[in-house]
Amino acid sequence: MAEHAYDFDLFVIGGGSGGVRAARLAALTGAKVAIAEEYRMGGTCVIRGCVPKKFMVYASAYGKDIRKAAGYGWSAGEVSYDHGTFANAMHAEVDRLSGIYFRNLKNAGVEILEERAEFVDAHTLRLKTSGKEITAEKILIAVGGRPWMPSPDEIPGIEHAITSNEIFHLEALPKHIVIGGGGYIAVEFAHVFAGLGVPTCLVYRGEEVLRGFDADIRTAVHEGLKEAGVRVITGAVFDRIDKCEGEDLPLRISLSNGGHIDADVVMGALGRRPNTDGLGCDAAGVALDDNGAVVVDEWSKTNVDNIWAVGDVTDRVALTPVAIREGHAFAETEFYRRPWHFDHADIPTAVFTQPEVGTVGMTEAQARKEHGAVDIYKTNFRPMKNMLNGDMSRVLMKIIVRQSDERVLGVHMVGDDAAEIIQAIGIAIKMGVTKPDFDRTCALHPSVAEELVTMRTKWVPEETG
Ligand code: FAD
C-alpha cells in the first residue's frame, strides 16, 4: 500500500479520555491523524462525569465543613448557598478544560472534526452533518458510553426522570430529589444533594448499595448514607412516574413495594451502555457483545485487523485513567513501535461519597475464591478530627492478606481522604507489598492513615471466634 493511500493514518471516533490521548500521541510521531467528536471535546469525564461531579462533591462538603467548624470554635453566622453562583463557576471551569483538550490536539497536529462519525466500511467513515466520507488506515473506536434508562413501556412516565447528563444543568436545587440506583454514581449524588440540604431519597433494587465492592465497604457506605440523612429504600424499583402539574412536588414516583414518594426531580442512575447504536459496526464487521460493547483482545484490537477500541465502549473497567492508559498503550504500540498493553489488575478506585471510599485490589470474597486462605485485618474508628466537630461518621480500613506468603491482595477504606490514601497504597500493591512490609513502615502520627501500618491483630469472624 502506498504511503497515505488513505486520507489519514489514524481516525479516532470520540474525543473523550481515551480517544484524545491516543490521537495526540499518534499525531506527535508525524502521523496524519483525525478525531471526530459529536458533542464536546473532553468527553464524559470532563463535560459530564468526573470533573463536574467532583466540583459538586466539593460544593456539598463545604456546607458540612462550615457547620462542623462550630465544634472548633468558629462561628460563621447565617450561611447560605447559591446554586447559580456555583454552577456558573463549575461550567466555566469545564469550558476551560474542554478548550485545553481542543488546543492540545490542534497543537499536536490532529485534524479536529466537530461532528458525528459512523462506519461505512472497515476503512471508511461518514461524517453525519457534512456527509463527507473519509478513509483511514487505522481506526480507533473511543465513543464511550451513555446513561441507560428503561423504556416508557417498562416504566410509564420514565421520561420525567433525568440522568447524570442533565443533573449538572439544574437551574436551582431540587426541593426533593429521588435517585434510582445503587451504583457509585447514585450514591455519590445522594450525598451531594443531602449535603446541600436537599431532602434526598435513594431507591435501590438490591439490599445493599455498591454491588461488586467489598462487603464491609458496602455496609459502611449504606450506613453512611443514612447517617447523612438520605432516606434509603431497598428492595424496590420505580413502578411508574406520574406528573401532576401545579404541585410543589409535581412528580409522584410509585414503587414496586407499593409505596410512593413525591419529588420535583427524579434521577435514574441505573447503569450505562456502550455508545455503539448507529455507529455502523456491522458495516465494518466489528463484533459487539450482547450489551453492545466492542469486543477486544488485550491489545484493544477488535476482530477487524485495522480497528481498535478503548475506554468505556469496551466495557472492561469504565474509569477515566483506564481509558487514558488503554489509549496510550494503543498509540505507543501502533505508532512508536513500543508494544505494551494495559494491565487491568489492581486499579485504585474511589467513590466520592462523604466520607469517601478508596479501594485497590481484591475484595475479601474474590480473594477467598481465588486464593483460598486469607487473613483479614480491619479497624473501624471515629477519627480524631470528628471528636470535636460532632460528626459521627467513622473510618473503616481493611487489609486482605494471602496466608501462604503474606502478600497484600486488597486494601479498602471508607473515610475522609480515602481516595488520596489509596492512590499511594496502589503503588505498593503493584510492587507486590506484603503485610510485613506494612508492619515495618513507621506510622505518621497523628493521622488517619497510620492505622494502615499499625494493625496487628487478625480479624476473626464472630461465628468461629
Ligand atoms: P468518553 O469520555 O465517554 O468519550 C467518548 C466521546 O465520544 C464523547 O465525547 C462522545 O460525545 C463521543 N462520541 C460518541 N459517539 C460518537 C460518534 N459516533 N462520533 C463522534 N463522537 C462520538 N471515572 C473516573 O475515573 N473517576 C470518576 O470519579 C468518575 N466519575 C464519573 C461520574 C459520572 C457521572 C460519569 C457518567 C462517569 C464517571 N466516570 C468516572 C467514568 C468516566 O467518565 C469514563 O470512564 C471515561 O470518560 C471514559 O472515557 P472514554 O474515552 O471511553 O469515553
mmCIF file of all heavy atoms in Angstrom, residues 141-168:
data_model
loop_
_atom_site.group_PDB
_atom_site.id
_atom_site.type_symbol
_atom_site.label_atom_id
_atom_site.label_comp_id
_atom_site.label_asym_id
_atom_site.label_seq_id
_atom_site.Cartn_x
_atom_site.Cartn_y
_atom_site.Cartn_z
ATOM 1 N N ILE A 141 -11.969 3.164 17.884
ATOM 2 C CA ILE A 141 -13.313 3.462 18.404
ATOM 3 C C ILE A 141 -13.159 3.857 19.872
ATOM 4 O O ILE A 141 -12.700 3.053 20.694
ATOM 5 C CB ILE A 141 -14.245 2.229 18.300
ATOM 6 C CG1 ILE A 141 -14.266 1.695 16.861
ATOM 7 C CG2 ILE A 141 -15.646 2.562 18.771
ATOM 8 C CD1 ILE A 141 -15.023 0.362 16.708
ATOM 9 N N ALA A 142 -13.507 5.093 20.184
ATOM 10 C CA ALA A 142 -13.380 5.575 21.577
ATOM 11 C C ALA A 142 -14.616 6.403 21.903
ATOM 12 O O ALA A 142 -14.522 7.541 22.357
ATOM 13 C CB ALA A 142 -12.103 6.400 21.728
ATOM 14 N N VAL A 143 -15.783 5.793 21.643
ATOM 15 C CA VAL A 143 -17.044 6.548 21.721
ATOM 16 C C VAL A 143 -17.694 6.515 23.106
ATOM 17 O O VAL A 143 -18.755 7.109 23.314
ATOM 18 C CB VAL A 143 -18.063 6.057 20.664
ATOM 19 C CG1 VAL A 143 -17.565 6.347 19.261
ATOM 20 C CG2 VAL A 143 -18.341 4.562 20.833
ATOM 21 N N GLY A 144 -17.076 5.835 24.064
ATOM 22 C CA GLY A 144 -17.573 5.873 25.440
ATOM 23 C C GLY A 144 -18.932 5.220 25.626
ATOM 24 O O GLY A 144 -19.341 4.328 24.880
ATOM 25 N N GLY A 145 -19.637 5.699 26.646
ATOM 26 C CA GLY A 145 -20.949 5.140 26.974
ATOM 27 C C GLY A 145 -21.930 6.243 27.313
ATOM 28 O O GLY A 145 -21.599 7.427 27.293
ATOM 29 N N ARG A 146 -23.156 5.831 27.615
ATOM 30 C CA ARG A 146 -24.203 6.808 27.950
ATOM 31 C C ARG A 146 -25.085 6.206 29.044
ATOM 32 O O ARG A 146 -25.121 4.975 29.216
ATOM 33 C CB ARG A 146 -25.036 7.145 26.711
ATOM 34 C CG ARG A 146 -25.756 5.952 26.162
ATOM 35 C CD ARG A 146 -26.665 6.256 24.997
ATOM 36 N NE ARG A 146 -27.485 5.086 24.712
ATOM 37 C CZ ARG A 146 -27.055 3.979 24.132
ATOM 38 N NH1 ARG A 146 -25.793 3.877 23.746
ATOM 39 N NH2 ARG A 146 -27.873 2.955 23.946
ATOM 40 N N PRO A 147 -25.819 7.061 29.766
ATOM 41 C CA PRO A 147 -26.702 6.506 30.799
ATOM 42 C C PRO A 147 -27.766 5.627 30.164
ATOM 43 O O PRO A 147 -28.278 5.952 29.090
ATOM 44 C CB PRO A 147 -27.356 7.760 31.409
ATOM 45 C CG PRO A 147 -26.526 8.911 30.976
ATOM 46 C CD PRO A 147 -25.899 8.524 29.678
ATOM 47 N N TRP A 148 -28.082 4.521 30.836
ATOM 48 C CA TRP A 148 -29.165 3.641 30.363
ATOM 49 C C TRP A 148 -30.425 3.939 31.168
ATOM 50 O O TRP A 148 -30.379 4.112 32.372
ATOM 51 C CB TRP A 148 -28.778 2.174 30.556
ATOM 52 C CG TRP A 148 -29.913 1.256 30.207
ATOM 53 C CD1 TRP A 148 -30.247 0.828 28.956
ATOM 54 C CD2 TRP A 148 -30.879 0.693 31.108
ATOM 55 N NE1 TRP A 148 -31.359 0.029 29.029
ATOM 56 C CE2 TRP A 148 -31.772 -0.066 30.331
ATOM 57 C CE3 TRP A 148 -31.065 0.758 32.479
ATOM 58 C CZ2 TRP A 148 -32.841 -0.761 30.890
ATOM 59 C CZ3 TRP A 148 -32.129 0.078 33.043
ATOM 60 C CH2 TRP A 148 -33.003 -0.679 32.246
ATOM 61 N N MET A 149 -31.537 4.038 30.458
ATOM 62 C CA MET A 149 -32.827 4.202 31.130
ATOM 63 C C MET A 149 -33.810 3.188 30.557
ATOM 64 O O MET A 149 -33.782 2.910 29.358
ATOM 65 C CB MET A 149 -33.372 5.616 30.883
ATOM 66 C CG MET A 149 -32.643 6.689 31.674
ATOM 67 S SD MET A 149 -33.049 6.653 33.419
ATOM 68 C CE MET A 149 -34.004 8.135 33.528
ATOM 69 N N PRO A 150 -34.711 2.662 31.384
ATOM 70 C CA PRO A 150 -35.738 1.767 30.857
ATOM 71 C C PRO A 150 -36.665 2.539 29.917
ATOM 72 O O PRO A 150 -36.691 3.775 29.964
ATOM 73 C CB PRO A 150 -36.501 1.319 32.105
ATOM 74 C CG PRO A 150 -35.868 1.985 33.268
ATOM 75 C CD PRO A 150 -34.844 2.930 32.812
ATOM 76 N N SER A 151 -37.430 1.821 29.118
ATOM 77 C CA SER A 151 -38.343 2.496 28.186
ATOM 78 C C SER A 151 -39.639 2.854 28.912
ATOM 79 O O SER A 151 -39.956 2.268 29.959
ATOM 80 C CB SER A 151 -38.660 1.559 27.020
ATOM 81 O OG SER A 151 -39.506 0.536 27.490
ATOM 82 N N PRO A 152 -40.438 3.802 28.363
ATOM 83 C CA PRO A 152 -41.732 4.133 28.972
ATOM 84 C C PRO A 152 -42.674 2.926 29.009
ATOM 85 O O PRO A 152 -43.597 2.893 29.824
ATOM 86 C CB PRO A 152 -42.273 5.238 28.055
ATOM 87 C CG PRO A 152 -41.063 5.809 27.401
ATOM 88 C CD PRO A 152 -40.104 4.682 27.241
ATOM 89 N N ASP A 153 -42.445 1.910 28.167
ATOM 90 C CA ASP A 153 -43.255 0.692 28.267
ATOM 91 C C ASP A 153 -42.946 -0.052 29.558
ATOM 92 O O ASP A 153 -43.832 -0.636 30.196
ATOM 93 C CB ASP A 153 -42.959 -0.256 27.096
ATOM 94 C CG ASP A 153 -43.527 0.290 25.803
ATOM 95 O OD1 ASP A 153 -44.410 1.164 25.895
ATOM 96 O OD2 ASP A 153 -43.051 -0.116 24.727
ATOM 97 N N GLU A 154 -41.661 -0.027 29.919
ATOM 98 C CA GLU A 154 -41.250 -0.738 31.138
ATOM 99 C C GLU A 154 -41.649 0.051 32.389
ATOM 100 O O GLU A 154 -42.133 -0.509 33.354
ATOM 101 C CB GLU A 154 -39.736 -0.973 31.139
ATOM 102 C CG GLU A 154 -39.285 -1.968 30.085
ATOM 103 C CD GLU A 154 -37.800 -1.883 29.804
ATOM 104 O OE1 GLU A 154 -37.363 -0.918 29.141
ATOM 105 O OE2 GLU A 154 -37.079 -2.778 30.265
ATOM 106 N N ILE A 155 -41.389 1.367 32.358
ATOM 107 C CA ILE A 155 -41.748 2.226 33.497
ATOM 108 C C ILE A 155 -42.511 3.432 32.941
ATOM 109 O O ILE A 155 -41.899 4.398 32.465
ATOM 110 C CB ILE A 155 -40.509 2.697 34.282
ATOM 111 C CG1 ILE A 155 -39.725 1.489 34.802
ATOM 112 C CG2 ILE A 155 -40.921 3.621 35.435
ATOM 113 C CD1 ILE A 155 -38.489 1.844 35.589
ATOM 114 N N PRO A 156 -43.849 3.403 32.971
ATOM 115 C CA PRO A 156 -44.601 4.549 32.439
ATOM 116 C C PRO A 156 -44.183 5.836 33.153
ATOM 117 O O PRO A 156 -44.010 5.848 34.372
ATOM 118 C CB PRO A 156 -46.059 4.191 32.762
ATOM 119 C CG PRO A 156 -46.064 2.702 32.935
ATOM 120 C CD PRO A 156 -44.717 2.334 33.475
ATOM 121 N N GLY A 157 -43.947 6.881 32.380
ATOM 122 C CA GLY A 157 -43.573 8.178 32.956
ATOM 123 C C GLY A 157 -42.081 8.344 33.179
ATOM 124 O O GLY A 157 -41.635 9.376 33.688
ATOM 125 N N ILE A 158 -41.284 7.343 32.761
ATOM 126 C CA ILE A 158 -39.827 7.433 32.995
ATOM 127 C C ILE A 158 -39.232 8.654 32.271
ATOM 128 O O ILE A 158 -38.162 9.151 32.638
ATOM 129 C CB ILE A 158 -39.106 6.117 32.589
ATOM 130 C CG1 ILE A 158 -37.658 6.089 33.132
ATOM 131 C CG2 ILE A 158 -39.099 5.905 31.086
ATOM 132 C CD1 ILE A 158 -37.530 5.918 34.607
ATOM 133 N N GLU A 159 -39.954 9.144 31.242
ATOM 134 C CA GLU A 159 -39.448 10.328 30.523
ATOM 135 C C GLU A 159 -39.388 11.563 31.422
ATOM 136 O O GLU A 159 -38.736 12.551 31.078
ATOM 137 C CB GLU A 159 -40.293 10.601 29.260
ATOM 138 C CG GLU A 159 -41.751 10.982 29.493
ATOM 139 C CD GLU A 159 -42.689 9.778 29.696
ATOM 140 O OE1 GLU A 159 -42.187 8.652 29.876
ATOM 141 O OE2 GLU A 159 -43.921 9.979 29.698
ATOM 142 N N HIS A 160 -40.037 11.524 32.588
ATOM 143 C CA HIS A 160 -39.947 12.652 33.521
ATOM 144 C C HIS A 160 -38.665 12.605 34.350
ATOM 145 O O HIS A 160 -38.365 13.548 35.082
ATOM 146 C CB HIS A 160 -41.144 12.666 34.473
ATOM 147 C CG HIS A 160 -42.459 12.743 33.764
ATOM 148 N ND1 HIS A 160 -42.727 13.709 32.815
ATOM 149 C CD2 HIS A 160 -43.569 11.973 33.847
ATOM 150 C CE1 HIS A 160 -43.944 13.523 32.348
ATOM 151 N NE2 HIS A 160 -44.479 12.472 32.947
ATOM 152 N N ALA A 161 -37.939 11.489 34.239
ATOM 153 C CA ALA A 161 -36.705 11.360 35.023
ATOM 154 C C ALA A 161 -35.525 11.880 34.214
ATOM 155 O O ALA A 161 -35.512 11.793 32.982
ATOM 156 C CB ALA A 161 -36.480 9.897 35.397
ATOM 157 N N ILE A 162 -34.532 12.420 34.911
ATOM 158 C CA ILE A 162 -33.313 12.841 34.239
ATOM 159 C C ILE A 162 -32.213 11.827 34.543
ATOM 160 O O ILE A 162 -32.397 10.913 35.356
ATOM 161 C CB ILE A 162 -32.869 14.254 34.687
ATOM 162 C CG1 ILE A 162 -32.606 14.298 36.216
ATOM 163 C CG2 ILE A 162 -33.909 15.308 34.300
ATOM 164 C CD1 ILE A 162 -31.940 15.591 36.676
ATOM 165 N N THR A 163 -31.061 12.020 33.884
ATOM 166 C CA THR A 163 -29.909 11.153 34.136
ATOM 167 C C THR A 163 -28.757 12.024 34.635
ATOM 168 O O THR A 163 -28.911 13.243 34.788
ATOM 169 C CB THR A 163 -29.457 10.451 32.835
ATOM 170 O OG1 THR A 163 -28.887 11.441 31.975
ATOM 171 C CG2 THR A 163 -30.596 9.737 32.141
ATOM 172 N N SER A 164 -27.612 11.394 34.825
ATOM 173 C CA SER A 164 -26.438 12.163 35.273
ATOM 174 C C SER A 164 -26.054 13.215 34.231
ATOM 175 O O SER A 164 -25.415 14.211 34.568
ATOM 176 C CB SER A 164 -25.266 11.228 35.563
ATOM 177 O OG SER A 164 -24.892 10.522 34.403
ATOM 178 N N ASN A 165 -26.439 13.025 32.970
ATOM 179 C CA ASN A 165 -26.120 14.049 31.950
ATOM 180 C C ASN A 165 -26.772 15.386 32.275
ATOM 181 O O ASN A 165 -26.177 16.448 32.088
ATOM 182 C CB ASN A 165 -26.618 13.618 30.561
ATOM 183 C CG ASN A 165 -25.717 12.575 29.935
ATOM 184 O OD1 ASN A 165 -24.660 12.275 30.472
ATOM 185 N ND2 ASN A 165 -26.134 12.037 28.799
ATOM 186 N N GLU A 166 -28.028 15.315 32.755
ATOM 187 C CA GLU A 166 -28.780 16.556 32.986
ATOM 188 C C GLU A 166 -28.568 17.128 34.384
ATOM 189 O O GLU A 166 -28.847 18.301 34.621
ATOM 190 C CB GLU A 166 -30.285 16.320 32.774
ATOM 191 C CG GLU A 166 -30.682 15.993 31.350
ATOM 192 C CD GLU A 166 -30.398 14.554 30.955
ATOM 193 O OE1 GLU A 166 -30.602 13.626 31.767
ATOM 194 O OE2 GLU A 166 -29.922 14.338 29.821
ATOM 195 N N ILE A 167 -28.075 16.318 35.296
ATOM 196 C CA ILE A 167 -28.005 16.756 36.698
ATOM 197 C C ILE A 167 -27.096 17.979 36.863
ATOM 198 O O ILE A 167 -27.263 18.772 37.780
ATOM 199 C CB ILE A 167 -27.531 15.588 37.614
ATOM 200 C CG1 ILE A 167 -27.992 15.817 39.048
ATOM 201 C CG2 ILE A 167 -26.040 15.390 37.584
ATOM 202 C CD1 ILE A 167 -29.400 15.478 39.322
ATOM 203 N N PHE A 168 -26.141 18.120 35.926
ATOM 204 C CA PHE A 168 -25.213 19.251 36.017
ATOM 205 C C PHE A 168 -25.850 20.553 35.535
ATOM 206 O O PHE A 168 -25.244 21.606 35.632
ATOM 207 C CB PHE A 168 -23.939 18.960 35.206
ATOM 208 C CG PHE A 168 -23.248 17.705 35.657
ATOM 209 C CD1 PHE A 168 -23.186 16.589 34.836
ATOM 210 C CD2 PHE A 168 -22.672 17.631 36.918
ATOM 211 C CE1 PHE A 168 -22.557 15.419 35.260
ATOM 212 C CE2 PHE A 168 -22.044 16.480 37.357
ATOM 213 C CZ PHE A 168 -21.990 15.373 36.526
#
